[in-house]
Amino acid sequence: MPAMQEIDIIVRRFSALNRDRLQRLLARVRSKQRPFLEALPLLFHVNHPELPGFVSEHTPAGLPGYTVPKKVIDGMKALFKDFEYKFHALPRYPIYGIYLTGSSSTVAYSEKSDFDIWVCHNPEIKDEDYSELLKKTHGIKTWARELGLKVHFFLVDEVSFKDRHHDELSTESSGTTQHHLLLEEFYRTGLHLAGRYPAWWVVPPDQENNYQDYLADITDKGIVSEFDFIDFGTYMDLTAEEFIGASLWQIYKGIDSPYKSVLKIMLMEAYASEYPDIDFLASRFKEAIYEGEKNINRLDPYALMCHKVEEYLLSRNEPARLELIRRCFYFKVDEQLSTPAPRKKRIWQRELMQDLVLAWGWDVAHLLMLDSRHSWKIHRVLEERKTLVDELTHSYRLLTGFIGEHTRISSASNKDLHVLGRKLHTAFDRRSGKIEIVNPDISPNLMEPNLSVHKQVTRNGQEFWQLYRGKITVADKIRTTPLKRARSILELCGWCQFNNLIGASTAITLYTQNTNIDNNELKKIINELKLLYPGSFPGEVDFDTLSTPANYTSMSFFVNVGIDPLARYSAEGKHIISEQNDALKFGNFHQNLVMAIDGITITSWNEVLTTSYEGTSGLMDCLCEFINMTLLQKRCPDIRVFSYSSLNSHIITQRLEQLLKNIFKTYKKSDHPTSSRYVLAIAKDYYLIHFVENAIQYRKFSNQEGLLEELSFTTGNFVNTVIDDEAFKGDVLPFIIRKNKPGIIQLYYKVNNDMVDTYVLDETGAIFHQTAPYFQHKTLLNQYHRFLESVRDRINFLPLASHINRTEITGIEYYSITNDKKRTYRLTRRIQSMQESAMQYYSVQVITGYSGSEKDSLSVFCDDWEFSMMELGEDLFIQVANRILMQRKMTRRYPIYITDIDLSQNSEYSEAMNFPSTADYLKYKKAIELKLNEALERQTRLSLASSI
């Protein structure tokens, strides 16, 4: 058992090292940033309205054992004129300690480094106090930003920390994926600024495995006081599960800053190779201090890490990986040893690196190559990226294998691992059309003075594009490897833009065959991409976004790149002039001007995706994929459409851009987007966009009749049908379909001389259309009203309907349609009553399983007189016609109208366990009435013939 004097010696050793490291840090930061570090403890020791981060006088403040240096007070007075410091003794100190962690004060610190600050507080502070303390850190962070410092605050208490309660996963926090490894790094890199010291200091290296018992023993015996230290526990209980979390975290960080992360990933790999008896760096660090080591360079945490990884790779005889981690360490330190040191200034980092480089055997030529990284161009960057990605992937596989052998991932950590996995997938997953970002903090400037673009056509007619560095002619291609191959020139331009290869002075030479694209159009595309996506890469994605499914944030479509859709007319010196300006059915010939589409899409996960479509089928594929991609998101992506190769480009871009927005609006307004459908006219055909087997697909129709037949079908739930503004232009259907409402049967009729067009929009959104001879207003409405009333009762009240998924009918509405010479339509509401409709008609009821097959049963009741197809066959229609003729008193001929149909036993519905909607009843009514009226016509002719 150590004496109190021995522990005092150890604490003084740690404190002395801590003081020297802090001096090194203060000497390295810029003079205007120094007050931040010096005053940081003061900001948490007092609440003063003049100081940065002030929230209120009640915000937790006060550090035990902290005496504010006069230098700090004077410095704050110089910056904040009204600041006055008054000493107040406190019975309790809510802030236990302030620490810097990470690369601060190590050889790896540079002006680009962040500051990670632990604010350790009393575990028992109230929630409102915690909130105020958090606000205070935000205020101090703002001040640091004004000084050019990037800082991250972590509010920590020893109880929650030991219980493994960490911040949620974020860009600054590794969440629950690592705990003991985070603590181990804190112990070897933490810089104590004020307050209590870590209890870990006073636990000897040989007692690490007995950490908690040892600490309790010396505390109980009064050798140390629990009010002097903070106890975060030990890292010796590290589980195998943490390795995969820590590795994924470092790989995540390595995506954007690989040189900073490769060294730490390899440290995880080295630790994993020693599991479960790991020789931790923190233990080495502590052993050296206990043994009296005073050389600060030998105790540098990052130098210790580099040595540890070197030992591991040397033991595995992996010289290529060893060279990579040395290169990563060199870039992290950021001391260019190929250039002379500044005069009269000794930089300790430089001296430490010179000793290491000498031991590594690097010569001046190698140092010159490394120090020229700022001028590395794309070919060198591609090689380096491959090395880094291979290393990240290699380490990931090794550690994944390790975790599979030793443990299972808990559900608590699995959430964070899943989010990290998404980030890795978006960064490294290769798939067709995806643009890879190839310069993750390798070189600051990849702009090339000269680039060459070639179009290549394979033997089977497939086209692709190639990008070369420099001026590469067709003859030069044979002995030159392209930088990039792509399916489209837009994908090639996008790759250049997002990887920052093209600058204002870049000269691009275009070599093409069998294409009309020229340098002018290529330049316009590139300039447009620069305006759309300034700053190269689209930006960093945060973890909240990665925790949710990917949305599509922006879509840019380039139409007819290198294609003039009216080229054959232009070649003949002709220009199409027509009132038909719809780009999808342009001119008198109704030509589709959208012949090719190339798109760039940015997702909320910052993936850059390219797509290509050709012809009318490609346009429809583009529309369907657009809906499928955006169906679940609330906001429409930022949509832009461009075209440069035609005199009609503005018509094309406006039409496609508005069409995409209209389609998105259609599916977003619906409560059930899977039950929406969109009608579009292209050239001389019609297209229906709708759901089929859980995905948006399209069907083509060569005429309106076929389309209307399809629109008469639904699946029981209400279907929202939207007709494109340019489809059925001038027709009445778009006018009435906008008024469709679920649960309401709406009948519209328009008289055209001696014919009448009748449209019924039923309760499910199905559309029924019929053109028939017109006799009089009352005749038309009465026969429909009586029939629709019967259908309503069947659908709403029959027992079969009680357990079938169907839309209930809540009303029936009737409208007549008129229009003026300008085809401006007007509606007039018509009111019908059952009493009025029953005055001139007796009952003609049909009970059927009829679906167009003679085998199906069909019975017709004329009042109480039954006619059965099972008995009469096809003669049934003649018999019914005769019966009706006998009952009629009027000499004027008019059609037979069915007043009621029962479809409950119809095989088409019973086998599908579905239930017919009103439109289905109307279709059967129309089909049977056709046969009845044909029979009526024959019988009438026979009667006339016999009377002559």
Side-chain angles (χ1 to χ4, degrees):
M1 181 60 62
M4 188 177 299
Q5 185 178 4
E6 294 173 341
I7 288 181
D8 287 343
I9 293 172
I10 294 299
V11 171
R12 283 198 297 272
R13 287 180 185 175
F14 273 102
S15 298
L17 173 64
N18 194 85
R19 182 179 60 252
D20 293 343
R21 289 173 61 191
L22 181 58
Q23 289 304 314
R24 279 187 165 184
L25 177 60
L26 291 171
R28 190 70 191 269
V29 299
R30 294 196 294 269
S31 57
K32 73 172 186 176
Q33 298 170 338
R34 203 169 298 148
F36 173 82
L37 293 172
E38 291 176 333
L40 193 56
L42 172 65
L43 299 180
F44 290 95
H45 189 59
V46 298
N47 288 318
H48 195 287
E50 291 299 315
L51 294 181
F54 176 80
V55 178
S56 75
E57 294 180 357
H58 306 292
T59 304
L63 282 156
Y66 175 63
T67 302
V68 187
K70 184 176 184 302
K71 177 183 177 181
V72 172
I73 296 174
D74 292 342
M76 288 294 98
K77 283 184 177 181
L79 292 173
F80 308 101
K81 302 300 183 182
D82 295 330
F83 169 66
E84 289 289 338
Y85 174 68
K86 295 180 180 180
F87 171 77
H88 294 286
L90 299 175
R92 299 181 66 186
Y93 292 89
I95 309 300
Y96 284 1
I98 308 291
Y99 294 87
L100 284 175
T101 69
S103 62
S104 304
S105 79
T106 72
V107 68
Y109 173 79
S110 69
E111 291 184 356
K112 299 177 184 178
S113 297
D114 298 349
F115 285 111
D116 291 338
I117 303 168
W118 283 26
V119 179
C120 307
H121 59 83
N122 186 332
E124 298 178 357
I125 66 170
K126 299 176 181 178
D127 290 344
E128 55 267 29
D129 290 336
Y130 181 92
S131 298
E132 290 218 347
L133 191 57
L134 188 62
K135 290 178 182 177
K136 184 165 194 166
T137 64
H138 294 329
I140 299 173
K141 188 175 182 177
T142 301
W143 180 46
R145 193 181 303 118
E146 294 170 358
L147 299 175
L149 293 172
K150 188 175 181 180
V151 303
H152 311 290
F153 283 99
F154 301 91
L155 298 184
V156 184
D157 74 79
E158 55 187 344
V159 175
S160 295
F161 188 91
K162 284 194 286 188
D163 289 339
R164 301 190 64 169
H165 293 158
H166 298 281
D167 290 342
E168 288 292 320
L169 195 66
S170 67
T171 52
E172 291 87 30
S173 170
S174 57
T176 61
T177 57
Q178 46 188 316
H179 171 81
H180 294 92
L181 289 168
L182 178 67
L183 182 61
E184 189 263 348
E185 183 182 22
F186 169 77
Y187 282 150
R188 59 184 160 86
T189 67
L191 191 60
H192 175 242
L193 298 182
R196 302 180 182 184
Y197 60 79
W200 179 78
W201 285 5
V202 301
V203 178
D206 59 359
Q207 295 294 326
E208 285 284 2
N209 288 316
N210 190 36
Y211 177 93
Q212 216 61 56
D213 291 339
Y214 179 87
L215 186 61
D217 192 26
I218 62 175
T219 303
D220 291 343
K221 293 179 179 179
I223 298 175
V224 296
S225 170
E226 64 178 351
F227 298 107
D228 293 334
F229 60 75
I230 302 175
D231 176 24
F232 292 119
T234 179
Y235 49 78
M236 299 301 287
D237 298 329
L238 176 67
T239 62
E241 179 186 341
E242 280 200 31
F243 283 111
I244 190 67
S247 301
L248 279 172
W249 172 253
Q250 291 304 330
I251 292 171
Y252 160 74
K253 301 294 281 186
I255 291 169
D256 300 317
S257 302
Y259 293 122
K260 295 179 181 180
S261 297
V262 166
L263 189 62
K264 288 186 177 182
I265 294 168
M266 289 195 187
L267 176 64
M268 296 300 103
E269 193 179 316
Y271 279 172
S273 70
E274 299 169 344
Y275 184 83
D277 300 318
I278 302 173
D279 179 19
F280 289 104
L281 284 179
S283 297
R284 286 189 181 187
F285 176 71
K286 183 191 278 189
E287 284 173 5
I289 293 175
Y290 267 74
E291 291 172 1
E293 177 62 68
K294 295 181 179 180
N295 188 320
I296 190 171
N297 285 355
R298 293 176 185 171
L299 294 171
D300 185 89
Y302 268 76
L304 288 172
M305 178 164 52
C306 186
H307 293 320
K308 171 81 176 181
V309 175
E310 282 182 317
E311 293 170 9
Y312 168 68
L313 295 177
L314 286 169
S315 70
R316 292 173 58 90
N317 191 26
E318 295 182 325
R321 299 181 76 203
L322 179 64
E323 182 65 20
L324 174 61
I325 66 104
R326 286 172 173 171
R327 187 159 72 246
C328 290
F329 188 81
Y330 184 79
F331 287 147
K332 173 64 177 169
V333 174
D334 199 24
E335 283 291 334
Q336 297 189 3
L337 299 184
S338 64
T339 59
R343 291 185 178 183
K344 298 180 182 181
K345 186 175 181 181
R346 295 182 62 190
I347 302 175
W348 65 270
Q349 287 102 325
R350 189 180 184 89
E351 294 173 354
L352 192 153
M353 283 307 305
Q354 285 173 333
D355 292 340
L356 288 175
V357 165
L358 184 63
W360 296 342
W362 286 0
D363 58 19
V364 175
H366 190 69
L367 291 173
L368 284 169
M369 184 275 293
L370 295 179
D371 290 344
S372 66
R373 179 163 69 110
H374 64 282
S375 61
W376 286 0
K377 293 303 179 184
I378 184 63
H379 63 293
R380 179 70 181 87
V381 167
L382 288 171
E383 293 175 6
E384 186 75 350
R385 180 185 184 271
K386 184 180 185 304
T387 301
L388 291 167
V389 171
D390 287 348
E391 179 54 42
L392 293 174
T393 305
H394 175 76
S395 292
Y396 174 67
R397 288 174 179 168
L398 279 178
L399 288 154
T400 302
F402 165 82
I403 198 73
E405 294 176 7
H406 291 86
T407 189
R408 294 177 61 187
I409 299 175
S410 69
S411 58
S413 295
N414 195 53
K415 176 186 174 183
D416 289 347
L417 297 183
H418 183 65
V419 174
L420 292 176
R422 281 183 174 178
K423 176 66 175 178
L424 302 182
H425 180 78
T426 58
F428 296 144
D429 175 52
R430 287 180 176 174
R431 60 183 186 270
S432 177
K434 179 179 176 180
I435 292 179
E436 290 184 283
I437 309 303
V438 301
N439 185 27
D441 198 32
I442 297 174
S443 175
N445 183 7
L446 291 187
M447 290 184 184
E448 292 286 345
N450 294 285
L451 291 169
S452 299
V453 175
H454 290 255
K455 181 182 178 181
Q456 190 76 22
V457 181
T458 63
R459 292 179 180 178
N460 61 2
Q462 293 293 316
E463 298 180 354
F464 64 94
W465 297 80
Q466 296 171 314
L467 177 72
Y468 293 87
R469 184 171 181 256
K471 294 182 178 179
I472 304 299
T473 65
V474 175
D476 296 331
K477 283 177 57 181
I478 301 173
R479 52 184 179 274
T480 309
T481 302
L483 291 173
K484 176 69 177 175
R485 295 180 179 89
R487 299 172 304 166
S488 68
I489 195 168
L490 181 66
E491 182 180 349
L492 210 60
C493 293
W495 188 82
C496 291
Q497 170 60 23
F498 286 104
N499 287 293
N500 206 22
L501 265 69
I502 300 176
S505 60
T506 301
I508 302 176
T509 306
L510 184 63
Y511 298 89
T512 61
Q513 296 176 346
N514 302 321
T515 180
N516 292 323
I517 188 170
D518 55 22
N519 283 294
N520 182 51
E521 187 173 2
L522 180 61
K523 185 176 180 180
K524 288 180 178 178
I525 292 172
I526 291 170
N527 289 338
E528 204 63 66
L529 291 176
K530 288 185 175 298
L531 292 173
L532 289 169
Y533 311 110
S536 302
F537 186 67
E540 185 177 356
V541 58
D542 59 56
F543 275 80
D544 288 340
T545 302
L546 284 172
S547 299
T548 59
N551 286 337
Y552 297 82
T553 56
S554 73
M555 292 181 169
S556 302
F557 297 97
F558 292 78
V559 182
N560 298 341
V561 175
I563 300 172
D564 182 357
L566 300 175
R568 65 189 180 99
Y569 299 104
S570 301
E572 297 171 359
K574 300 177 181 178
H575 297 286
I576 297 178
I577 300 175
S578 171
E579 293 182 0
Q580 178 54 270
N581 284 329
D582 179 10
L584 302 186
K585 42 189 178 74
F586 183 77
N588 295 330
F589 296 102
H590 286 202
Q591 183 171 344
N592 176 21
L593 301 185
V594 180
M595 302 184 70
I597 302 174
D598 294 289
I600 288 184
T601 298
I602 308 295
T603 75
S604 57
W605 293 356
N606 283 349
E607 288 183 294
V608 185
L609 310 174
T610 63
T611 50
S612 295
Y613 308 91
E614 292 185 2
T616 300
S617 61
L619 169 60
M620 293 307 302
D621 288 337
C622 175
L623 297 176
C624 290
E625 288 183 22
F626 168 73
I627 304 169
N628 284 322
M629 288 190 300
T630 61
L631 188 64
L632 298 179
Q633 61 188 69
K634 295 180 180 178
R635 296 184 60 183
C636 184
D638 181 20
I639 297 173
R640 301 290 302 277
V641 182
F642 308 92
S643 185
Y644 310 107
S645 57
S646 167
L647 293 173
N648 302 108
S649 291
H650 67 288
I651 297 175
I652 296 170
T653 56
Q654 290 175 4
R655 178 70 168 104
L656 185 56
E657 186 171 314
Q658 192 59 52
L659 176 59
L660 288 164
K661 291 177 180 178
N662 287 346
I663 290 178
F664 181 88
K665 184 179 179 181
T666 295
Y667 284 88
K668 198 45 55 188
K669 283 179 65 177
S670 175
D671 294 333
H672 302 284
T674 56
S675 296
S676 291
R677 51 193 183 183
Y678 195 92
V679 176
L680 184 65
I682 302 178
K684 297 179 181 180
D685 299 313
Y686 295 92
Y687 293 83
L688 176 64
I689 298 172
H690 60 156
F691 261 82
V692 180
E693 297 179 353
N694 299 320
I696 285 288
Q697 298 181 26
Y698 71 88
R699 284 189 62 187
K700 177 182 174 181
F701 301 90
S702 59
N703 53 54
Q704 289 189 14
E705 290 73 21
L707 173 64
L708 286 171
E709 177 65 20
E710 181 63 27
L711 294 179
S712 70
F713 293 104
T714 66
T715 58
N717 289 321
F718 180 75
V719 174
N720 176 44
T721 301
V722 175
I723 297 179
D724 185 77
D725 291 340
E726 297 294 332
F728 290 88
K729 197 165 186 179
D731 196 281
V732 71
L733 186 59
F735 173 68
I736 63 176
I737 206 167
R738 287 194 291 266
K739 303 180 182 302
N740 199 9
K741 295 177 286 186
I744 304 294
I745 299 174
Q746 296 172 309
L747 184 144
Y748 300 87
Y749 68 96
K750 185 176 185 299
V751 178
N752 301 302
N753 298 321
D754 59 346
M755 302 296 287
V756 61
D757 278 305
T758 305
Y759 298 87
V760 178
L761 311 183
D762 79 6
E763 71 282 357
T764 68
I767 303 169
F768 171 80
H769 172 249
Q770 183 173 9
T771 301
Y774 177 69
F775 292 96
Q776 59 178 336
H777 161 81
K778 284 187 177 182
T779 303
L780 176 74
L781 286 186
N782 287 345
Q783 64 97 0
Y784 269 114
H785 183 64
R786 190 169 184 189
F787 181 81
L788 293 176
E789 290 280 345
S790 298
V791 169
R792 180 193 61 188
D793 293 342
R794 288 192 175 277
I795 290 177
N796 286 353
F797 304 130
L798 282 183
L800 182 61
S802 62
H803 58 86
I804 296 295
N805 183 23
R806 91 287 190 264
T807 302
E808 185 173 310
I809 300 172
T810 58
I812 304 175
E813 299 172 355
Y814 302 89
Y815 299 91
S816 62
I817 307 171
T818 57
N819 66 279
D820 56 23
K821 294 180 180 180
K822 295 182 179 180
R823 286 226 159 184
T824 300
Y825 293 103
R826 294 181 177 84
L827 297 179
T828 303
R829 181 77 178 268
R830 302 295 184 180
I831 307 299
Q832 286 299 110
S833 69
M834 181 61 79
Q835 180 180 5
E836 187 179 68
S837 65
M839 289 174 63
Q840 300 180 27
Y841 298 99
Y842 61 92
S843 172
V844 179
Q845 183 186 34
V846 176
I847 299 177
T848 182
Y850 180 79
S851 62
S853 171
E854 293 181 357
K855 297 180 181 179
D856 291 317
S857 64
L858 177 67
S859 296
V860 178
F861 289 83
C862 295
D863 285 335
D864 295 327
W865 198 279
E866 180 181 2
F867 300 86
S868 172
M869 183 171 280
M870 294 178 65
E871 176 184 351
L872 300 172
E874 284 296 316
D875 285 343
L876 172 143
F877 299 106
I878 294 175
Q879 295 291 337
V880 171
N882 282 331
R883 175 67 181 174
I884 293 176
L885 278 173
M886 291 171 57
Q887 299 297 316
R888 288 186 174 177
K889 297 178 181 179
M890 296 176 63
T891 58
R892 182 182 178 187
R893 288 185 299 158
Y894 56 90
I896 297 173
Y897 298 113
I898 295 171
T899 58
D900 185 25
I901 293 180
D902 174 31
L903 296 177
S904 61
Q905 300 301 317
N906 182 276
S907 60
E908 180 178 339
Y909 296 101
S910 59
E911 290 174 7
M913 290 303 292
N914 206 340
F915 196 80
S917 72
T918 298
D920 295 310
Y921 282 94
L922 288 167
K923 283 185 288 184
Y924 279 93
K925 176 180 185 290
K926 179 180 177 181
I928 298 173
E929 284 180 349
L930 178 63
K931 291 201 171 191
L932 288 173
N933 286 307
E934 286 175 348
L936 178 66
E937 186 67 25
R938 287 197 300 270
Q939 293 305 105
T940 302
R941 286 198 301 267
L942 289 172
S943 177
L944 288 173
S946 63
S947 64
I948 296 175

